[in-house]
Amino acid sequence: METRKMDKYRMLAGIILFGSLWGMLECIIGEISPSWFPGAAFLGGGIGLGLMMLTRRLYGAMWMQLGMAIVAGVVRFWSPVIGTCVVCSALAIMAEGLIFELIFNRPTFNIHGTGALNMRKPGTLAALGIISGFTIFTVGFMVTQIMTPLLTGGIFTFSNFIGNMPSYVGTGFFAALFGAVSLPLAVLVKQLHIDIETVKNTWYYTAAGGISACCWVLVFAFPYA
Amino acid sequence: MADAKKLNTILAVLAAVILVVSFSALAYTLVPKGEADVLVVNGTEYAWADIFNDFELYNFTVDDMDYAGISIEELLLDAGVENPETHSYKFTARDTYKQDVAWADIQEGYIIESGPAENDFHRAIFPGTTHSFWVYDLASIEVI
């Protein structure tokens, strides 16, 4: 897959913008979702995968999504939410970004729209959404389960990790379903003929900076609201 | 074209396998294991109906939330655990979710009957740890 040539500052602003959006949604939806709703699966398979695929389509650049995940992880780490291991959540988000890159940097899964084998059929996209949504979420979940005890001085045992596997895989079912919807939707957004490169610099950087700043303020203010 | 068709078939099969396996795992976790009305501690059975009357109830606050629960340390001593400080403990939920907890955290830990959150049901709470160590719908505590 070819990486499109784009102004590096424009791409950096995109990484910060979409990473901040993702991180903000992780912090807020993670806190407000009721216990019956699989919020973590929605965030991984729906929001995370959807935003990464959307930017892959809009910017056409590999490794940008890992950058977004790092920004989202930093936002999550910055959040003053209590009671959860924020370092672990941040690492899980970054792991999700890495898994996305490992899947979608393969030429076979070129969603760029210029040389794919048959990546525009809704059925194919839904199947790919199921596979990637499930993989991204469950790997992120497992990373959290390994890192939390290690970073918080708790006990990690391999037998517990294996014993809890039905929980990770079972919750991944919802991530797969969300992925089946979010990935085709994100790919289809390109049909709106949005071209990031044609947006005027003034508008682009003002919007990216303003929205990113709003996300960071929201994340910080939310627990006190 | 043949490659595209083959790829579509592989993706469809893989997606179907993921859905079947993950749904089976989900169904497995949704079916509670163990008895609903007892907590097994080191082989001793305690009835949930009595346990909150038989042990002293303590009020405590974690993350700005107020709870009332029984001391896990007192429960383990009552269950006849010898030299409790030399062990770790495995907490298992009825959905088979497991967490191992060190004695230092056990000493600060409580079991609550209910609480403000929807999953605050028969929940082991360790104020010094992150929520992933808090096991709800508790089925057993084993000495390891």
Side-chain angles (χ1 to χ4, degrees), chain A residues 35 83 124 157 160 164 169, chain B residues 8 22 63 90 98 100 118 131:
Chain A
S35 62
T124 305
T157 59
N160 278 0
N164 290 335
V169 175
Chain B
N8 279 336
S22 61
D63 301 340
K90 188 182 294 294
K98 295 175 176 61
D100 290 355
E118 285 177 60
H131 289 195

Side-chain angles (χ1 to χ4, degrees), chain A residues 34-36 82-85 108-109 117-119 121 124 126-128 130-132 134-135 141 145 148-149 152-157 159-160 163-174 176-177, chain B residues 1 3-5 7-8 10-12 14-16 18-23 25-29 63-64 88-90 95-103 105 118-119 128-134 144:
Chain A
S35 62
W36 55 264
I82 51 177
T84 55
C85 176
T108 310
F109 299 132
L117 285 170
N118 208 354
M119 284 293 162
K121 286 175 68 177
T124 305
L128 195 53
I130 288 169
I131 297 163
S132 51
F134 174 82
T135 310
F141 196 169
Q145 293 297 308
T148 300
T152 61
I155 299 171
F156 172 78
T157 59
S159 63
N160 278 0
N164 290 335
M165 200 58 80
S167 294
Y168 317 144
V169 175
T171 321
F173 173 73
F174 296 110
L177 293 185
Chain B
M1 199 61 191
D3 281 348
K5 198 172 179 181
L7 177 67
N8 279 336
I10 292 169
L11 289 177
L14 192 54
I18 284 175
L19 286 178
V20 170
V21 170
S22 61
F23 183 77
L26 179 68
Y28 173 77
T29 60
D63 301 340
D64 296 329
S88 294
Y89 300 86
K90 188 182 294 294
D95 65 359
T96 73
Y97 183 76
K98 295 175 176 61
Q99 281 293 353
D100 290 355
V101 182
W103 174 248
D105 294 319
E118 285 177 60
N119 54 6
T129 68
T130 62
H131 289 195
S132 60
F133 288 95
W134 300 11
I144 53 178

